[in-house]
Amino acid sequence: MATSVNCSFNDNSRTVCVMDASTHLGSALVHLLLHQGYTVHATFQHHDAGEVQSVCSDEKLRVFYADPFDYHSITNALKGCCGLFYCFQPPSDHSTYDEFMAEVEARAAHNVLEACAQTDTMEKVVFTSSVTAVIWNEGRNTASSDLDEKNWSDINFCKKYKLWHALAKTLAEKTAWALAMDRDINMVTINGGLLMTPDLTITNPYLKGAAEMYEDGVFVTVDLRFMAEAHICVFEDISSYGRYLCFNHVINCSHDANKLAQMLLPSSDSSPPQSSEETRIYQQRISNRKLSTLMMEFQNDQILTN
């Protein structure tokens, strides 16, 4: 049976940090964690009063400026925290994904994990990665089994086809794991599918290679609430380990593909073309069983203890 973390470390046991709280996921995590009674250190890369005021009504919330390239600002935000939820936010002066962004994201991951290693109260890190760090390699459509947490995207393949989002997520996650293992940091990663947010557009870097993902049966999406709940589940459950693929919808038929296309391109007045492919369903070739099992056991345990 799954067991909840009781965080019996000391008075800091219910204090966690969310970095970067300005993202959709970060904001959702802040609100859920506050609702569950945590004291939250919410970090922002910019001194934006509007962002701060939007989440600043709870007495258990503390707001910090923390730049992932400013080590001291990170350690200041982490002080007294037993946990960190980390999600990379591209810097405002370089918000597009390219080959350079891969180096930037990897360097940020290194800084954050090093700061965690120097934080005495830190017990667990939940590192947000992506399904794109799992699915891209030369033999992806000839594999005999479904893709899962054991699979990694190939760095050279990502560079060859300019899959910069996949390259950045793969390098950053590998950097984080290397440091976590070297410094004995308790870390788990959530490898999320395409995050369904109100401002999602066709320019989202996750969507590079969408046609291939669709045909390979690995085009997956995740709702914001489910994504946030998965993060808290793997943090609180002491049995969690390694990587977790996080998605709750697979786009593998023309109906769902057309529905997503209309959402991404709402200004398009033209109807999608009709063809013999309309009824085709591609076999799902990616599994989230590990996370589904953990969340089910965790939820059952929560019911029994309440």
Side-chain angles (χ1 to χ4, degrees):
M1 179 180 293
T3 305
S4 300
V5 169
N6 59 18
C7 287
S8 57
F9 322 125
N10 51 39
D11 292 340
N12 301 313
S13 62
R14 296 285 288 180
T15 301
V16 296
C17 180
V18 176
M19 183 183 299
D20 184 296
S22 66
T23 64
H24 285 293
L25 176 59
S27 178
L29 281 169
V30 167
H31 285 90
L32 277 178
L33 289 163
L34 289 172
H35 180 72
Q36 294 188 22
Y38 285 92
T39 297
V40 179
H41 291 191
T43 78
F44 297 84
Q45 286 189 40
H46 312 289
H47 299 282
D48 190 318
E51 288 179 331
V52 173
Q53 291 168 359
S54 69
V55 294
C56 217
S57 59
D58 195 295
E59 62 182 12
K60 289 193 173 186
L61 178 69
R62 296 185 63 194
V63 175
F64 292 80
Y65 164 76
D67 186 332
F69 309 105
D70 179 352
Y71 180 77
H72 294 293
S73 71
I74 303 171
T75 56
N76 185 49
L78 293 179
K79 193 174 299 181
C81 292
C82 72
L84 168 67
F85 297 86
Y86 173 70
C87 178
F88 177 75
Q89 172 77 342
S92 58
D93 60 348
H94 195 98
S95 58
T96 58
Y97 270 84
D98 53 20
E99 191 168 11
F100 172 72
M101 182 59 76
E103 299 176 12
V104 170
E105 190 160 345
R107 184 155 47 90
H110 181 278
N111 290 344
V112 171
L113 267 292
E114 180 60 38
C116 289
Q118 298 296 329
T119 303
D120 293 338
T121 55
M122 186 59 60
E123 293 287 333
K124 197 170 195 177
V125 176
V126 182
F127 186 98
T128 307
S129 186
S130 174
V131 165
T132 61
V134 172
I135 61 175
W136 293 112
N137 57 70
E138 290 286 358
R140 69 186 193 284
N141 47 16
T142 59
S144 58
S145 59
D146 289 346
L147 296 178
D148 61 18
E149 291 80 6
K150 296 186 294 293
N151 297 98
W152 283 90
S153 291
D154 181 81
I155 290 172
N156 291 326
F157 183 90
C158 293
K159 289 180 178 178
K160 180 180 179 180
Y161 292 100
K162 299 183 178 180
L163 298 163
W164 304 130
H165 184 271
L167 179 65
K169 296 303 177 183
T170 304
L171 286 176
E173 190 186 346
K174 283 180 175 285
T175 297
W177 276 118
L179 193 55
M181 290 186 284
D182 181 62
R183 304 301 297 274
D184 197 26
I185 300 169
N186 180 15
M187 186 179 88
V188 292
T189 64
I190 293 288
N191 294 74
L194 177 65
L195 188 60
M196 303 302 288
T197 58
D199 58 353
L200 182 65
T201 69
I202 196 68
T203 61
N204 188 296
Y206 184 106
L207 291 166
K208 179 70 180 292
E212 290 78 9
M213 287 190 278
Y214 172 62
E215 293 173 1
D216 291 346
V218 298
F219 192 178
V220 293
T221 67
V222 60
D223 296 330
L224 181 59
R225 176 83 183 197
F226 184 84
M227 183 79 156
E229 289 177 346
H231 277 69
I232 296 175
C233 174
V234 300
F235 174 72
E236 293 188 342
D237 196 316
I238 61 172
S239 69
S240 65
Y241 68 96
R243 310 169 84 201
Y244 290 88
L245 295 189
C246 182
F247 58 89
N248 57 355
H249 187 65
V250 182
I251 297 180
N252 61 344
C253 66
S254 55
H255 171 77
D256 288 345
N258 289 334
K259 184 177 178 180
L260 178 62
Q262 290 173 350
M263 187 185 81
L264 295 174
L265 299 167
S267 60
S268 176
D269 295 325
S270 58
S271 301
Q274 304 295 315
S275 72
S276 59
E277 294 289 302
E278 280 284 335
T279 57
R280 181 163 186 177
I281 299 176
Y282 291 96
Q283 181 180 352
Q284 178 180 337
R285 295 185 54 254
I286 187 168
S287 172
N288 62 352
R289 182 177 300 175
K290 183 182 176 186
L291 178 63
S292 296
T293 300
L294 184 80
M295 291 185 73
M296 185 177 299
E297 291 176 350
F298 182 77
Q299 289 165 358
N300 290 339
D301 186 61
Q302 293 291 89
I303 293 171
L304 290 175
T305 55
N306 289 336

